Amino acid sequence: MYIVDSARATNPTTFMSNMLYACSILYRTKLPFIVVFNKSDIVKPTFALKWMQDFERFDEALEDTRSSYMNDLSRSLSLVLDEFYCGLKTVCVSSATGEGFDEVMTAIAESVEAYKKEYVPMYEKVLADKRQMDEVEKKKKEEEALKGKPVHDLKKPTGDEDDDLDLNTKVDRIHLGGVDEENDEDAELERD
């Protein structure tokens, strides 16, 4: 939830600053998002809801304030944020009167359901894709590490007298016991 102070957001440029910050948080977190206009007992935030639905009203409010480069920027940003406003949940509340808290709880419940149905599967897919990409990258790194290294033929003798180990010896059993059993088996092999 992003809380907007309704009394302070009556200025269109302040309102736009709040909406840009909310938009930034939404796209950074990629989670269900609710904008809560508080202090609705002091200033009814219907002006903000109208600005979000109708660019012309927001433009008129900008014209009523003194002209500056901020007005031009706010006007342009308002057009850009039109898509952001479309799917945005908004609630008006007052902690003094309790107005709107049922709507907040409803919006939270809807957001929890949206998280479970939309976001969790999306994150699971992203994690699976990341694991797959990590595996591919790991294989590439292993291949790169092996490039240029000499390859030895295990069947061909190297000529070293210390190389008594026959790498082609067939292993006919696998040890599954503990340390004592392993030591006994090693002792038997040495006697043979």
Side-chain angles (χ1 to χ4, degrees):
M1 290 195 305
Y2 179 75
I3 312 298
V4 177
D5 186 334
S6 298
R8 293 179 185 252
T10 56
N11 181 311
T13 55
T14 305
F15 168 79
M16 183 53 61
S17 296
N18 275 295
M19 291 300 102
L20 284 174
Y21 195 56
C23 182
S24 171
I25 293 169
L26 171 67
Y27 289 114
R28 194 170 348 153
T29 62
K30 296 180 177 76
L31 292 170
F33 197 76
I34 307 165
V35 174
V36 178
F37 292 98
N38 70 350
K39 299 181 183 176
S40 63
D41 58 311
I42 297 172
V43 174
K44 289 286 182 197
T46 51
F47 68 91
L49 300 175
K50 289 176 183 175
W51 288 350
M52 292 168 70
Q53 296 168 355
D54 186 0
F55 169 77
E56 298 299 326
R57 287 191 181 197
F58 181 73
D59 191 44
E60 288 170 10
L62 279 173
E63 291 301 321
D64 291 342
T65 62
R66 60 180 184 179
S67 179
S68 71
Y69 75 95
M70 282 300 294
N71 285 2
D72 294 335
L73 178 62
S74 295
R75 186 174 291 111
S76 298
L77 291 172
S78 180
L79 289 171
V80 170
L81 291 179
D82 191 46
E83 189 67 29
F84 167 69
Y85 295 147
C86 290
L88 193 62
K89 286 183 180 86
T90 56
V91 182
C92 304
V93 298
S94 168
S95 60
T97 65
E99 172 194 347
F101 279 96
D102 290 338
E103 288 84 1
V104 168
M105 297 308 291
T106 301
I108 291 171
E110 290 171 358
S111 295
V112 167
E113 287 304 311
Y115 177 78
K116 289 177 184 175
K117 289 180 182 175
E118 298 169 26
Y119 291 84
V120 169
M122 177 184 67
Y123 285 126
E124 287 173 350
K125 182 183 180 325
V126 166
L127 287 175
D129 291 348
K130 184 180 181 332
R131 279 192 289 269
Q132 185 179 12
M133 286 175 34
D134 288 347
E135 190 63 34
V136 168
E137 187 65 29
K138 181 181 174 185
K139 286 180 182 178
K140 282 183 183 178
K141 285 182 181 179
E142 288 172 356
E143 289 173 5
E144 286 293 321
L146 293 175
K147 279 187 181 175
K149 298 227 177 190
V151 177
H152 298 287
D153 188 353
L154 297 178
K155 296 178 185 176
K156 188 173 166 184
T158 60
D160 287 344
E161 286 77 36
D162 295 333
D163 247 349
D164 295 326
L165 182 61
D166 182 9
L167 296 175
N168 296 319
T169 303
K170 180 180 172 192
V171 177
D172 58 352
R173 65 181 174 188
I174 298 174
H175 175 72
L176 297 174
V179 174
D180 292 333
E181 292 87 359
E182 185 175 313
N183 288 340
D184 292 340
E185 286 176 9
D186 288 344
E188 280 182 41
L189 287 174
E190 287 178 15
R191 281 185 232 136
D192 293 338

